[in-house]
């Protein structure tokens, strides 16, 4: 991967860590966002991840060199010339359309453009690109935290070329990820399984069957999960969970309708996220 030029749009939790794993694998990476504040948060986040990884023995001291391979910019202009571009912005179709259109304008025709959407069909997002660019467009759905989670769902759209799929799988392997091929459907594979569980977990709380703490314990000790559904919602935010479930409800019907309690907590400001109230005591 030495010498590959990578651009990532979106300096949030996912985007910053996607950029970091490419940098750890030897790429030079530019992280783009709309404001300097977001970029500074990303800079601090990746430095903290590397420091903690070294302390825990997951990385050696050479991992610090990856931080020098990261650069930061506002807007997309500086991403021109990247061989791989990844869109990792807010899970909103209109926002993603704007970013993808901008990336198509500044990039070369052979540039691989990937989206980290977790629920929106790839072929839907491909409509943002000119027809002659859609063969080089693909979904790469990473999992949080990207620096620790090895799985990536690789999702081709209707017009994605077979060689793009093969190249993407090889690219994921080169950054230490395990790729699975998934058909282009709303929610893909993992999120359909995950949100079915999350919805049922919230219903158990609504019905007074068990507390969020005990359900998380049951998931970890009874099912062997690394994290319980309520701790996971607090980490990725219940707001994002509601958005994902509403997208899948539109596609699949009532089985993915967000529970009333989940939506109520989001509206009341209990959506979780770093330093914000969620389901569990911090």
């Amino acid at each position: 991967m030495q010498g590959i030029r990578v651009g990532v749009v979106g300096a949030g939790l996912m985007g910053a860590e996607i950029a970091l794993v490419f940098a750890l694998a030897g790429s030079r990476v530019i992280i783009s966002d709309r404001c300097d504040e977001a970029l500074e948060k990303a800079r601090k986040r990746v430095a903290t991840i590397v420091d903690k990884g070294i302390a825990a023995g997951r990385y050696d001291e050479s991992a610090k060199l990856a931080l020098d391979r990261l650069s930061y910019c506002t807007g997309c202009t500086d991403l021109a010339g990247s061989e791989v571009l990844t869109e990792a912005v807010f899970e909103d179709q209109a926002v993603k359309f704007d970013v993808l259109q901008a990336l198509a304008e500044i990039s070369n025709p052979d540039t691989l453009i990937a989206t980290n959407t977790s629920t929106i069909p790839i072929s839907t997002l491909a409509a943002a690109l000119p027809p002659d660019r859609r063969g080089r467009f693909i979904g790469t759905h990473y999992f949080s935290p990207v620096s620790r989670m090895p799985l990536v769902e690789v999702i081709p759209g209707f017009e994605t070329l077979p060689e793009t799929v093969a190249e993407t799988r090889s690219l994921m392997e080169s950054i230490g990820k395990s790729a699975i091929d998934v058909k282009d459907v709303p929610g893909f594979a993992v999120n359909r399984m995950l949100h079915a569980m999350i919805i049922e977990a919230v219903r158990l709380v609504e019905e007074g069957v068990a507390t969020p703490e005990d359900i998380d314990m049951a998931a970890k000790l009874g099912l062997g999960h690394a994290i319980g559904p309520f701790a996971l919602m607090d980490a990725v935010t219940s707001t994002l969970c509601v958005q994902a479930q509403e997208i899948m409800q539109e596609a699949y019907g009532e089985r993915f309708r967000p529970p009333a309690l989940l939506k109520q907590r989001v509206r009341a400001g209990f959506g979780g996220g770093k330093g914000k109230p969620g389901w569990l005591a911090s």
Side-chain angles (χ1 to χ4, degrees):
M1 290 238 351
Q2 202 74 11
I4 290 180
R5 293 162 296 172
V6 176
V8 177
V9 182
L13 180 65
M14 298 298 290
E17 294 205 24
I18 291 169
L20 176 60
V21 296
F22 274 100
L24 287 167
S27 289
R28 292 204 166 272
V29 187
I30 301 175
I31 305 175
S32 169
D33 208 293
R34 293 179 295 182
C35 65
D36 290 330
E37 181 183 4
L39 295 172
E40 184 58 29
K41 287 181 179 179
R43 192 192 308 270
K44 292 177 179 178
R45 178 180 292 118
V46 295
T48 298
I49 291 169
V50 168
D51 287 343
K52 288 183 176 179
I54 292 172
R58 291 190 298 272
Y59 306 139
D60 58 32
E61 287 291 331
S62 66
K64 291 183 178 179
L65 298 175
L67 301 178
D68 296 329
R69 291 191 284 270
L70 293 169
S71 56
Y72 303 82
C73 71
T74 53
C76 293
T77 304
D78 290 351
L79 303 181
S82 297
E83 296 163 80
V84 177
L85 291 168
T86 294
E87 169 274 305
V89 300
F90 188 69
E91 191 73 354
D92 179 278
Q93 183 173 314
V95 175
K96 288 181 180 291
F97 260 51
D98 288 345
V99 170
L100 291 171
Q101 287 168 352
L103 292 180
E105 289 175 3
I106 60 94
S107 62
N108 298 320
D110 60 347
T111 299
L112 176 64
I113 301 179
T115 173
N116 182 52
T117 181
S118 59
T119 50
I120 304 171
I122 306 308
S123 296
T124 299
L125 294 176
L129 301 172
D132 62 346
R133 302 297 300 275
R134 296 171 190 171
R136 296 287 292 161
F137 180 62
I138 197 165
T140 50
H141 178 213
Y142 298 81
F143 293 84
S144 183
V146 179
S147 57
R148 301 283 299 277
M149 298 289 278
L151 183 68
V152 176
E153 290 180 303
V154 173
I155 313 111
F158 294 151
E159 299 173 79
T160 304
L161 296 170
E163 50 265 40
T164 300
V165 178
E167 179 183 339
T168 302
R169 288 186 61 89
S170 178
L171 184 66
M172 294 300 100
E173 182 179 345
S174 73
I175 61 173
K177 300 300 182 184
S178 296
I180 61 171
D181 294 324
V182 178
K183 184 179 178 180
D184 185 23
V185 296
F188 314 127
V190 174
N191 265 342
R192 282 176 63 175
M193 294 187 290
L194 171 64
H195 284 282
M197 180 187 71
I198 285 175
I199 289 168
E200 192 60 29
V202 175
R203 286 175 178 158
L204 289 170
V205 172
E206 284 181 323
E207 296 166 10
V209 175
T211 65
E213 291 79 5
D214 283 348
I215 291 170
D216 273 11
M217 183 182 296
K220 290 188 288 184
L221 302 185
L223 300 177
H225 294 184
I227 186 172
F230 292 97
L232 181 60
M233 279 189 279
D234 283 355
V236 303
T237 77
S238 293
T239 304
L240 183 60
C241 290
V242 169
Q243 292 166 350
Q245 289 164 20
E246 288 176 339
I247 290 171
M248 288 187 283
Q249 180 192 356
E250 182 180 358
Y252 304 116
E254 288 302 298
R255 61 187 165 128
F256 284 108
R257 177 182 290 277
L261 178 60
L262 180 59
K263 293 193 290 185
Q264 182 182 9
R265 290 181 64 85
V266 168
R267 292 167 183 159
F270 290 86
K274 188 173 182 180
K276 298 178 181 178
W279 290 97
L280 308 174
S282 58

